[in-house]
Amino acid sequence: MNRGARVLVVGQGAREHALAWALSRSPHVAQVFVAPGNAGTIKEPNVLNIPLAPDQVDAIARYSREQHIDLVVIGPEAPLVGGLVDRLDQQGTAAVGPTQSLARLEGSKIYCKRFCEAHDIPTAAARIHTDLHSALQDIANHDGPLVIKASGLCGGKGVVVAQTRSEAEGAAHVLFSLPATREGLIIETCIQGWETSYIVLAHGTTYRAWPAAQDHKRLLAGDRGPNTGGMGALSPSPRMTPALEARICKSIIEPTLAALEQAQTPYRGFLYAGIMVDKQGDPYLLEFNCRLGDPEAQVLIFRLESDLYEILDAGARGHLDAHTPHWIRDPALAVVLASSGYPGPGPAGEPISGLEATEGPFVKVFHAGTRLGPTGPLTDGGRVLSITATGTTIDRARQRAYASIEQIAFVGMQYRKDIGLAGIS
Ligand code: GLY
């Protein structure tokens, strides 16, 4: 590393803003590029937005080669499933993320379920259906709540927790009409308990665990309403214990990395286990993602004390042993401000006001669905901003985040008012 590194972040959400922000602060990094970024990334020093969409994998690989990019950090799942890392490998560009065949763990829930069954990874009992008729028969034969999941990528919106038979039937009808259900649908037993996101950065069977985080997947306060990509996050996860972490690593993370290494090339990048801890305290895998979570990334990166570039570069090149990442003790919390209509389609192009007054050493606004208009940032649909704050307690972090939100306005703004509340004791 004689000259400063040139790093390309792929994606346009608040997770990618957080990655670009932290990378741009590293003394090892000369320039961060974001493809395509948003109105927040464009304002960070040493960060440049590139007009390439995350699924333009050939164009991103070519850009990386022509611009002598040293490290590509891939935020969302689509470019991983689309084979971006395979193309970067072919040309010798280092990348944080698994190859296409390994990214099937996230890209196909049916593949993931079969993988868990083959390798004794604890997960909910499930049946796989490739047609609506057999799914409806299955629903008719089971009482109690069921979880209905499209197999393919659905932006966090392909999972329905159905409390009643008619909800389950409705979900099967809707999901079978989506392209993400081309390969089929999974119906699984609903495990009751509490959820946590457990994310590790891995290279082969070597990994570094990041602190557990708590997502808030439902749209509305009190965990009501439809599933979304995530309406808020909290880290550390208040109910996580060292003993439970050890169990998650031993029964889920380690056997997974070992099985992947035997079967194919070593896994490289983030492995995010969505975990349900049941009433007996036993952890079960709900799903794997092959990337950082969003909004989990915002709280994890805001708490990170160590140099993110050193950590990611070590993950990409297989030197994870040489770096022990450190996080501040204080908890962090992120509240997502979304457009009206989210998680469905909604309006865009609304001016956002009040951002100037909000930031300080304990509060950071990460942009997601924003673009720069002639007079300032405009909404661009979906999740718009992640207001991220730390404090000596969760309550203090909450007060800071919500005090900042009072300054911010755009037409149709919706957010949950209870982020982190379940974690305050
Ligand atoms: N927060 C859920 C996800 O990133 O998939």
Side-chain angles (χ1 to χ4, degrees):
M1 258 189 270
N2 294 331
R3 64 170 167 86
R6 293 160 69 79
V7 185
L8 172 62
V9 176
V10 177
Q12 64 205 106
R15 166 184 50 208
E16 289 77 29
H17 186 181
L19 284 163
W21 168 76
L23 286 163
S24 72
R25 292 151 66 98
S26 165
H28 302 299
V29 173
Q31 181 73 54
V32 178
F33 304 85
V34 192
N38 54 40
T41 54
I42 211 166
K43 285 186 69 183
E44 298 292 349
N46 295 332
V47 178
L48 202 63
N49 284 3
I50 304 300
L52 290 174
D55 60 358
Q56 290 181 271
V57 293
D58 288 325
I60 292 173
R62 196 176 328 116
Y63 184 86
S64 305
R65 193 178 60 243
E66 289 171 358
Q67 294 297 320
H68 307 286
I69 298 295
D70 298 291
L71 182 68
V72 179
V73 183
I74 300 146
E77 56 278 18
L80 298 168
V81 172
L84 176 55
V85 174
D86 305 67
R87 282 171 178 73
L88 295 170
D89 279 353
Q90 282 160 14
Q91 67 189 38
T93 307
V96 180
T99 53
Q100 187 170 40
S101 64
L102 294 169
R104 269 188 308 163
L105 268 189
E106 174 164 4
S108 164
K109 289 194 169 59
I110 292 178
Y111 169 81
C112 182
K113 191 56 85 174
R114 292 191 173 128
F115 177 92
C116 289
E117 286 165 2
H119 299 286
D120 286 331
I121 313 283
T123 182
R127 281 92 47 203
I128 292 165
H129 297 284
T130 52
D131 66 86
L132 178 62
H133 180 70
S134 78
L136 292 176
Q137 268 187 340
D138 183 344
I139 291 165
N141 291 337
H142 285 85
D143 288 325
L146 290 171
V147 184
I148 323 280
K149 296 178 171 178
S151 182
L153 296 182
C154 225
K157 292 155 224 151
V159 176
V160 178
V161 181
Q163 299 298 336
T164 64
R165 184 169 295 174
S166 71
E167 271 176 39
E169 286 167 354
H173 277 281
V174 170
L175 292 179
F176 263 115
S177 70
L178 302 178
T181 311
R182 207 176 296 121
E183 190 197 6
L185 164 151
I186 294 181
I187 299 184
E188 65 182 34
T189 310
C190 183
I191 302 174
Q192 309 285 346
W194 59 276
E195 267 187 74
T196 186
S197 303
Y198 197 75
I199 300 174
V200 305
L201 179 60
H203 190 110
T205 53
T206 306
Y207 68 93
R208 292 286 190 199
W210 284 33
Q214 197 84 38
D215 194 4
H216 295 65
K217 285 209 172 71
R218 300 296 191 101
L219 179 68
L220 303 173
D223 287 333
R224 291 176 301 110
N227 262 355
T228 68
M231 294 299 290
L234 173 66
S235 174
S237 191
R239 295 166 79 176
M240 183 57 74
T241 62
L244 180 57
E245 275 201 60
R247 280 191 68 189
I248 292 170
C249 290
K250 208 157 182 52
S251 66
I252 296 173
I253 303 293
E254 289 169 17
T256 297
L257 295 175
L260 292 175
E261 180 151 271
Q262 269 170 20
Q264 330 185 18
T265 51
Y267 189 95
R268 272 170 300 155
F270 289 102
L271 181 66
Y272 157 169
I275 303 281
M276 178 67 80
V277 182
D278 76 359
K279 292 196 167 132
Q280 282 69 47
D282 296 326
Y284 289 86
L285 182 80
L286 295 180
E287 63 181 24
F288 273 131
N289 298 311
C290 297
R291 52 172 174 80
L292 278 170
D294 181 342
E296 292 92 327
Q298 292 87 297
V299 287
L300 292 170
I301 290 173
F302 204 44
R303 289 184 64 218
L304 183 68
E305 267 183 325
S306 308
D307 184 311
L308 182 64
Y309 178 76
E310 284 179 9
I311 292 168
L312 297 183
D313 191 60
R317 297 178 204 275
H319 307 135
L320 279 171
D321 281 338
H323 293 276
T324 304
H326 295 284
W327 280 267
I328 60 166
R329 254 183 183 304
D330 290 353
L333 178 131
V335 182
V336 169
L337 310 185
S339 293
S340 63
Y342 183 75
E350 301 291 351
I352 306 171
S353 63
L355 290 175
E356 313 71 32
T358 52
E359 289 196 351
F362 304 109
V363 180
K364 176 76 188 167
V365 177
F366 292 117
H367 287 232
T370 66
R371 64 188 158 85
L372 212 46
T375 56
L378 303 174
T379 64
D380 208 15
R383 291 184 288 179
V384 175
L385 301 165
S386 271
I387 316 306
T388 308
T390 56
T392 47
T393 62
I394 297 170
D395 197 25
R396 190 79 192 97
R398 261 182 62 78
Q399 284 166 16
R400 285 188 173 130
Y402 283 103
S404 294
I405 289 169
E406 279 174 22
Q407 314 292 317
I408 300 172
F410 58 85
V411 172
M413 178 168 118
Q414 56 164 336
Y415 61 96
R416 279 180 60 160
K417 300 198 170 68
D418 65 339
I419 302 302
L421 263 190
I424 297 178
S425 49

